[in-house]
Amino acid sequence: GQQLNQSPQSMFIQEGEDVSMNCTSSSIFNTWLWYKQDPGEGPVLLIALYKAGELTSNGRLTAQFGITRKDSFLNISASIPSDVGIYFCAGQLYTSNTGKLIFGQGTTLQVKP
Amino acid sequence: GAGVSQSPSNKVTEKGKDVELRCDPISGHTALYWYRQSLGQGLEFLIYFQGNSAPDKSGLPSDRFSAERTGGSVSTLTIQRTQQEDSAVYLCASSYLKGSYSPLHFGNGTRLTVT
């Protein structure tokens, strides 16, 4: 089946540092989304991207929808301890009309105070 | 209003037993999804319901898995004759499918452990 390759798998950084993670695929996507999951909870939407080339910010978070529609990145600036969690990229294939999302494997972020 | 509600939050069962997992979507959301998350893995699509349309069951891993959605609201995921590899967190999500896309809102999941 279709896959999203998300990297890095995990990151351990110092508080205040910037973070970057990305997702790539061999398939074309209509929509890219970034979710964060805290322990024992479901994923929560951070940013949604709907157009190729779109760059969107949400506070310290910035994400972009690649112009080829096959990739996306998420940047977190000036990390803080509450940024700890698992970050997932997710995409809706251009062939899909159901809203079904394909998820990456996740990036586990740890922040050292 | 309330978010997506799932019950139970945790379920421990013996191998070979049947289990039922419940999902109450956000009121007014027309689409409902089940995903499975194994330890350290991403989310694996299982099944999708949209209104009165036939569900998309393409992600169900075997015929031991089934799901239904009654009255366009509450959904139940049933796993028959559970196996240890079924142990995972089962996540339900709902969305208001309007136009091309509406983001999914997830519940906190049911953690299933098969002993």
Side-chain angles (χ1 to χ4, degrees):
Chain A
Q2 296 85 8
Q3 287 189 334
L4 290 183
N5 300 309
Q6 185 172 350
S7 64
Q9 186 174 9
S10 63
M11 303 181 73
F12 189 88
I13 63 170
Q14 194 78 28
E15 181 178 0
E17 290 184 355
D18 297 342
V19 172
S20 184
M21 59 192 78
N22 69 83
C23 273
T24 61
S25 176
S26 58
S27 301
I28 294 173
F29 288 85
N30 273 342
T31 305
W32 283 95
L33 303 101
W34 287 91
Y35 284 84
K36 183 192 178 195
Q37 186 177 31
D38 291 326
E41 299 184 7
V44 174
L45 181 68
L46 298 174
I47 291 179
L49 303 159
Y50 298 106
K51 293 192 297 186
E54 180 180 357
L55 181 71
T56 297
S57 294
N58 178 8
R60 293 178 296 106
L61 279 61
T62 302
Q64 185 159 28
F65 192 147
I67 57 173
T68 65
R69 298 168 65 190
K70 295 182 179 181
D71 64 321
S72 177
F73 71 74
L74 174 70
N75 289 339
I76 305 173
S77 63
S79 58
I80 59 178
S82 62
D83 291 335
V84 166
I86 305 176
Y87 292 79
F88 290 100
C89 64
Q92 180 195 20
L93 285 170
Y94 86 101
T95 53
S96 171
N97 62 357
T98 66
K100 181 174 75 177
L101 294 178
I102 297 171
F103 281 80
Q105 297 91 338
T107 295
T108 299
L109 178 63
Q110 298 182 63
V111 179
K112 183 178 181 181
Chain B
V4 177
S5 177
Q6 292 188 245
S7 61
S9 55
N10 284 283
K11 176 71 176 179
V12 180
T13 190
E14 292 181 352
K15 177 182 174 181
K17 300 279 189 180
D18 298 351
V19 295
E20 285 190 353
L21 313 179
R22 177 187 169 102
C23 173
D24 281 277
I26 294 172
S27 178
H29 278 192
T30 55
L32 186 148
Y33 309 77
W34 283 97
Y35 282 82
R36 177 169 72 174
Q37 184 177 25
S38 300
L39 186 63
Q41 300 294 314
L43 280 68
E44 174 191 7
F45 169 78
L46 297 177
I47 188 169
Y48 156 79
F49 297 91
Q50 167 62 13
N52 295 320
S53 302
D56 176 354
K57 304 179 181 180
S58 60
L60 294 178
S62 77
D63 58 8
R64 296 186 296 106
F65 288 72
S66 63
E68 61 179 22
R69 187 179 186 192
T70 54
S73 181
V74 172
S75 177
T76 302
L77 177 69
T78 301
I79 309 173
Q80 296 178 310
R81 305 181 302 281
T82 52
Q83 303 294 313
Q84 288 185 330
E85 62 263 27
D86 298 336
S87 296
V89 175
Y90 289 81
L91 290 160
C92 176
S94 69
S95 71
Y96 180 65
L97 204 58
K98 177 181 179 182
S100 60
Y101 187 73
S102 176
L104 275 60
H105 299 265
F106 283 88
N108 287 334
T110 294
R111 180 175 296 278
L112 175 67
T113 303
V114 181
T115 61

